[in-house]
Amino acid sequence: MLMQSVQASDPELTKDFQVPAGINAADIDGTFFTSEALRNVTPNVASPFATVTTANLVAPAKAPFLAVDGLGVSMALLQFPPGTVNPPHTHPRGTELLFIIEGTLDVGLVDTTNKLFTNTLYKGDIFAFPKGLVHFQINNDKYKTVTALGGFSSSNAGLVRLPNTLFNTSTPISDKVLQISFGISGDVVKALRAQFA
């Protein structure tokens, strides 16, 4: 019996960098390798959630950073106004290294045995979130904003935010599935759907 191993990861490049379709390699200059996606970003202080600005192959808020295609790297700027959270989520295609630029941030991750690992990070600390594991961050400071930089081992690590994934899908998950899974009533499911709509 032949066994095959399959992994979801960035393909290995066999050249220095990937030239996007429709672009002549001779026309590429230093601007191709530069992203301004993280420049002059202001956090949304009205939201209960951290402001996350990405510089990756599919960055939605800014132009995609095409230079990282096939390189297996990308970044994100995370800004946590007081009391904000980056809700439980996963990156199915990449490991994340989180570097604290300013402030104090509480973080946690859950492994596949359901063990929770938490720590409080300070300016200059780095925390590793392994690919695919559920993790979160919260700024428990009432007065100071936390700024962090996330580095990813993928040009598009992907993002699965659990609250949105479970309660705000394009085609809703059955109320019955959610009620049984979480041991909650239909009214709670409806309230959660409304909150994440």
Side-chain angles (χ1 to χ4, degrees):
M1 173 184 269
L2 177 64
M3 300 293 282
Q4 288 185 327
S5 175
V6 178
Q7 292 186 344
S9 61
D10 291 344
E12 180 181 342
L13 282 181
T14 57
K15 51 193 168 195
D16 294 339
F17 57 91
Q18 182 70 35
V19 177
I23 295 180
N24 185 341
D27 294 334
I28 291 178
D29 61 16
T31 59
F32 175 74
F33 298 97
T34 305
S35 173
E36 298 175 0
L38 307 184
R39 185 188 287 183
N40 301 322
V41 178
T42 304
N44 180 357
V45 296
S47 173
F49 303 113
T51 300
V52 180
T53 308
T54 58
N56 62 30
L57 191 56
V58 295
K62 306 266 183 171
F65 191 16
L66 299 178
V68 300
D69 189 8
L71 299 182
V73 296
S74 60
M75 297 185 90
L77 177 66
L78 295 90
Q79 297 166 300
F80 296 84
T84 58
V85 65
N86 193 1
H89 64 280
T90 70
H91 303 290
R93 293 182 296 274
T95 292
E96 177 182 0
L97 285 178
L98 186 71
F99 173 71
I100 306 302
I101 297 171
E102 195 64 50
T104 302
L105 190 66
D106 292 319
V107 301
L109 70 87
V110 180
D111 74 5
T112 58
T113 67
N114 286 333
K115 182 174 180 182
L116 174 65
F117 299 86
T118 62
N119 204 359
T120 299
L121 306 181
Y122 301 90
K123 180 178 179 177
D125 289 350
I126 299 171
F127 194 88
F129 298 101
K131 175 170 61 174
L133 295 186
V134 173
H135 59 280
F136 60 88
Q137 302 99 20
I138 185 168
N139 178 4
N140 283 313
D141 194 299
K142 296 179 183 177
Y143 307 104
K144 296 179 184 173
T145 294
V146 175
T147 305
L149 193 61
F152 299 92
S153 65
S154 171
S155 58
N156 177 17
L159 174 64
V160 179
R161 273 202 182 124
L162 298 181
N164 288 18
T165 299
L166 296 171
F167 296 101
N168 190 24
T169 55
S170 57
T171 302
I173 295 172
S174 157
D175 284 5
K176 185 175 182 179
V177 168
L178 296 171
Q179 288 172 34
I180 294 170
S181 297
F182 290 100
I184 56 178
S185 70
D187 291 338
V188 173
V189 170
K190 285 179 179 58
L192 287 168
R193 284 194 198 283
Q195 180 174 346
F196 295 105

